Amino acid sequence: TEMYQEYINNIIQLGFLTMFVTAFPLAPLICFILNIWQLRKDATRYVKRVRRPIGFRSEGIGTWMNILEVLSRIAILVNAILIAFTFDWLPQIIYNNYYNSGGTNQSYVDFMLASYEFDRVDANNNTVKQTCRYWSYIQPARADQHRFWLELMLARMLFIFLFQNLVWAAVRIIEMLCDSTPKFVKERMILEEKIAQEWLSSDDDSDYGGDDDCEDFTATQTLRQHSAKYRKKPDLKGL
């Protein structure tokens, strides 16, 4: 139950971090500091306050890996949508390439802002016409620039498609280049499999003499030497 809750907390934190990092760029730094503090707190608790947990072997984290893969896909899509709809560089590129005739940034702002005229009554009870300017390209509110809005939405959809597929392809290439299993772990797995096969064969041929006992002893010694090569004593001075 405790391990399940730890996985849930970490995955929720990773989800918010990866999906909304463009909205709050300081989130990775804050999560990094909090995770270091949580790591030291858990280390102190396991060493000084509770009994040593019983370790067991596992080939991976199971279903949690599938959840992380789905979460990574959703995070790429959410970041692409945030970049496309909140950043101002896409409409500015379209305006500069197709609608700008030697204008400045002020002309771009005037082009992007829509106008709405309404009547207002002043302090002298006189009706005064007033114009309100607002950002119009969130929806097609400007009939005079309907073509620009369609081009902008098409550019945003194209950017989301390209961004999502390029990032996911880069992730897959990195996964292919970087092996998830270290070399010494592979060597240990091969050695243990070989020793297990020798022990099984020695059980089947136990009636033919004592040479198998010598081979088992040699294999066990090899496994111990290989394990001692990568075994390190934990450093508890900093706890």
Side-chain angles (χ1 to χ4, degrees):
T1 305
E2 181 181 0
M3 187 61 65
Y4 176 80
Q5 191 63 36
E6 290 288 338
Y7 273 115
I8 287 291
N9 294 336
N10 291 330
I11 286 179
I12 290 175
Q13 181 190 91
L14 180 65
F16 279 104
L17 181 64
T18 54
M19 286 191 289
F20 303 108
V21 64
T22 55
F24 185 54
L26 289 178
L29 178 61
I30 296 175
C31 291
F32 178 71
I33 296 174
L34 290 176
N35 287 332
I36 290 179
W37 174 76
Q38 183 69 30
L39 183 64
R40 302 309 302 170
K41 188 182 73 170
D42 290 343
T44 303
R45 182 166 64 91
Y46 280 118
V47 173
K48 296 183 178 180
R49 298 180 182 177
V50 297
R51 294 181 61 184
R52 179 180 298 176
I54 299 175
F56 61 93
R57 292 188 177 186
S58 176
E59 295 182 358
I61 60 176
T63 310
W64 297 105
M65 181 58 68
N66 299 329
I67 295 174
L68 290 175
E69 290 182 357
V70 173
L71 186 62
S72 63
R73 284 182 172 269
I74 297 174
I76 295 172
L77 178 61
V78 170
N79 279 278
I81 294 174
L82 287 175
I83 294 173
F85 283 90
T86 59
F87 285 54
D88 198 38
W89 58 276
L90 272 178
Q92 195 165 4
I93 289 175
I94 296 176
Y95 173 77
N96 291 332
N97 291 333
Y98 299 102
Y99 294 90
N100 188 13
S101 57
T104 60
N105 291 332
Q106 184 64 35
S107 63
Y108 167 73
V109 174
D110 293 335
F111 179 83
M112 294 298 294
L113 294 178
S115 301
Y116 176 73
E117 294 184 355
F118 61 95
D119 296 333
R120 182 178 64 86
V121 178
D122 59 5
N124 298 324
N125 293 328
N126 296 323
T127 302
V128 179
K129 288 188 176 294
Q130 190 169 359
T131 303
C132 176
R133 305 296 302 274
Y134 62 96
W135 203 263
S136 65
Y137 289 109
I138 298 176
Q139 54 184 353
R142 296 184 57 176
D144 58 334
Q145 298 295 343
H146 187 69
R147 178 186 172 186
F148 178 81
W149 183 82
L150 292 177
E151 292 174 352
L152 178 59
M153 291 302 298
L154 180 62
R156 284 171 173 168
M157 294 298 106
L158 182 61
F159 172 80
I160 292 172
F161 176 78
L162 292 177
F163 182 88
Q164 182 182 6
N165 287 277
L166 288 177
V167 172
W168 188 249
V171 171
R172 287 303 183 187
I173 291 174
I174 294 174
E175 288 181 354
M176 293 173 60
L177 296 178
C178 301
D179 196 355
S180 59
T181 306
K183 183 179 179 180
F184 74 92
V185 175
K186 289 183 177 180
E187 294 176 354
R188 175 66 181 270
M189 292 171 62
I190 295 173
L191 183 60
E192 289 183 354
E193 184 178 358
K194 180 180 179 181
I195 292 173
Q197 292 177 356
E198 291 178 356
W199 283 344
L200 290 175
S201 62
S202 65
D203 291 338
D204 296 336
D205 301 334
S206 58
D207 297 335
Y208 294 97
D211 294 337
D212 292 329
D213 295 335
C214 182
E215 292 179 359
D216 292 344
F217 177 76
T218 304
T220 304
Q221 290 295 110
T222 305
L223 179 60
R224 290 178 179 176
Q225 293 175 0
H226 192 79
S227 301
K229 180 180 179 181
Y230 301 103
R231 188 186 299 121
K232 295 182 180 179
K233 294 183 179 180
D235 186 10
L236 305 179
K237 294 182 180 180
L239 299 176

